[in-house]
Amino acid sequence: MASKIKTVMIAQAKPTDENSPYFALGKKWNLKMEFRNFIRIEGHSVSEFRKQNLDPLKFTAVILTSKHAVDHYFRICKEMRIELPPDMKYFCVGETTAKYLQKYITIRKRKLFVGEKTAEDLIDLVKKNTKDKYIFPCGNLHRTELTNYMHQNGYELKEAIVYQTVPEDLTDMKELKFDLICFFSPSAIDSLFKNFPNFEQGETRVAVFGPTTSKAAID
């Protein structure tokens, strides 16, 4: 019989909201919970972006699937002194990304298309806009279901790497002994083994978010 879970490592930043469900769970089950980012985001420079031979003004639509993509794409455009035209179309993965976009543009003056939750949800919206030229700002690691569909069906699409996900330095942690470790991305699992190459799971339980993280954990 497995031992009771008493210590938990959450592989992401500690919530700033005191009403976070994590704190409620910890209190309810008397858990010792630690939070630590296993990965960090590094934005690409303008020179790195230019090596991709992409001109944002030559596209008519932008696909945005994360806040990181929004931040770094508009940062690069600003540094290149590019002002995106009012008739640019924006395809956002969900309401959260769409609302975040308002940090950079006035939504009512732009053409906005919002999916339900995932990048695949945007396929139905893309099908209604077949003649557009799409740019997809993203990281060096991203899901490919949407881009594969668009390439296979003849859409004009270019991926633009605007940031990369890299392992965080965890060397200040002498050991990683917890009853449960929670991962939210394959990158976090990669970071675990880069920081602790001799890590052995032993009796530690592993919790994951999403199918790609699950596959990485099993592998």
Side-chain angles (χ1 to χ4, degrees), residues 20-200:
S20 167
Y22 287 114
F23 300 140
L25 283 170
K27 184 177 181 181
K28 179 179 179 179
W29 298 103
N30 193 30
L31 301 173
K32 180 181 179 182
M33 305 183 75
E34 292 190 28
F35 298 84
R36 183 68 181 264
N37 266 331
F38 277 43
I39 57 176
R40 70 177 185 275
I41 300 298
E42 292 183 351
H44 273 202
S45 65
V46 169
S47 61
E48 289 172 315
F49 181 80
R50 283 182 170 143
K51 290 178 182 177
Q52 302 175 70
N53 296 316
L54 297 172
D55 180 355
L57 294 177
K58 290 187 177 180
F59 298 89
T60 60
V62 185
I63 296 175
L64 298 165
T65 58
S66 71
K67 292 181 180 179
H68 293 308
V70 174
D71 281 337
H72 290 290
Y73 185 61
F74 280 92
R75 171 186 58 79
I76 286 174
C77 286
K78 181 178 180 181
E79 291 176 3
M80 294 176 68
R81 298 182 180 178
I82 291 174
E83 184 174 347
L84 298 177
D87 59 351
M88 181 70 71
K89 294 179 181 179
Y90 296 91
F91 291 76
C92 295
V93 70
E95 287 291 343
T96 300
T97 306
K99 290 179 180 178
Y100 191 74
L101 185 59
Q102 296 181 64
K103 179 179 177 181
Y104 296 96
I105 66 171
T106 303
I107 295 293
R108 65 177 179 273
K109 293 183 179 179
R110 294 335 201 255
K111 296 182 179 181
L112 182 66
F113 303 84
V114 184
E116 292 294 326
K117 189 177 181 180
T118 67
E120 298 96 295
D121 296 332
L122 292 176
I123 290 177
D124 286 339
L125 299 174
V126 167
K127 285 180 179 178
K128 299 175 183 178
N129 296 270
T130 58
K131 295 182 180 180
D132 280 295
K133 297 179 180 180
Y134 293 87
I135 186 170
F136 175 36
C138 57
N140 59 321
L141 304 172
H142 61 85
R143 296 182 64 175
T144 59
E145 289 87 348
L146 175 62
T147 53
N148 286 345
Y149 169 83
M150 295 181 71
H151 286 309
Q152 291 166 6
N153 288 274
Y155 289 85
E156 190 165 345
L157 169 73
K158 295 292 185 181
E159 297 174 27
I161 307 300
V162 294
Y163 67 88
Q164 62 180 346
T165 303
V166 299
E168 188 59 271
D169 183 0
L170 306 175
T171 53
D172 61 302
M173 299 175 64
K174 295 182 180 179
E175 58 183 8
L176 200 65
K177 290 188 176 181
F178 295 87
D179 297 325
L180 174 68
I181 304 178
C182 303
F183 295 101
F184 298 83
S185 70
S187 302
I189 295 175
D190 290 340
S191 176
L192 165 70
F193 287 101
K194 281 185 171 62
N195 281 280
F196 303 95
N198 298 319
F199 173 79
E200 293 184 5

